[in-house]
Amino acid sequence: MAYAGDLTPREAFELVRDDPDAVLVDVRTDAEWRFVGTPTGLGTEPVFASWLPVDPERFLTELSAAGIAPGSGRKVVFLCRSGQRSVAAAETATAAGITPSYNVLEGFEGPLDADGHRGAVGWRAAGLPWRQS
């Protein structure tokens, strides 16, 4: 594993809520933020920095602009829709010296189920706070 580790949605929520220096970075797209929903109740607003289109340099620049810098030791938790893009984000951040970086397993909505639906697992299914625009 090329990052600090994986957290369940509840573990991620509790880590960010309880550690004032920790930050949740939502790496989904603008459409996902606006139409699907965003995490709340963390004590601080998430950082919104889309992983797509894949451009690690742009992504790291957005993190830096949000105060997430290499060598700070600040815990950074990456969240996407299903826990895939957030792995790439955590790996990229770790390689750039942003440590510790974590991935949220199952993401905000979870992977597709046998019927092609999302939502059985993930942040929302865990009953964690969120809102829709």
Side-chain angles (χ1 to χ4, degrees):
M1 183 175 301
Y3 53 96
D6 296 314
L7 302 171
T8 67
R10 181 153 308 281
E11 290 169 334
F13 171 75
E14 290 172 355
L15 184 152
V16 175
R17 181 196 63 197
D18 297 343
D19 183 341
D21 291 328
V23 62
L24 179 83
V25 178
D26 190 328
V27 302
R28 295 174 299 148
T29 64
D30 181 67
E32 290 169 306
W33 300 324
R34 287 188 294 130
F35 299 115
V36 177
T38 57
T40 62
L42 298 163
T44 184
E45 287 295 312
V47 169
F48 298 102
S50 182
W51 179 250
L52 298 176
V54 178
D55 180 349
E57 187 173 318
R58 174 204 47 83
F59 181 72
L60 292 170
T61 298
E62 287 184 29
L63 294 181
S64 179
I68 301 169
S72 71
R74 185 178 190 189
K75 294 173 185 164
V76 183
V77 178
F78 292 96
L79 172 78
C80 69
R81 178 179 58 196
S82 64
Q84 300 302 306
R85 286 175 279 176
S86 51
V87 168
E91 289 173 340
T92 297
T94 298
I98 299 171
T99 60
S101 290
Y102 298 91
N103 168 57
V104 179
L105 294 168
E106 303 167 349
F108 193 73
E109 298 179 273
L112 293 172
D113 65 16
D115 295 319
H117 302 137
R118 296 184 192 279
V121 297
W123 186 279
R124 290 191 321 183
L128 297 171
W130 64 284
R131 70 171 169 254
Q132 277 182 305
S133 298

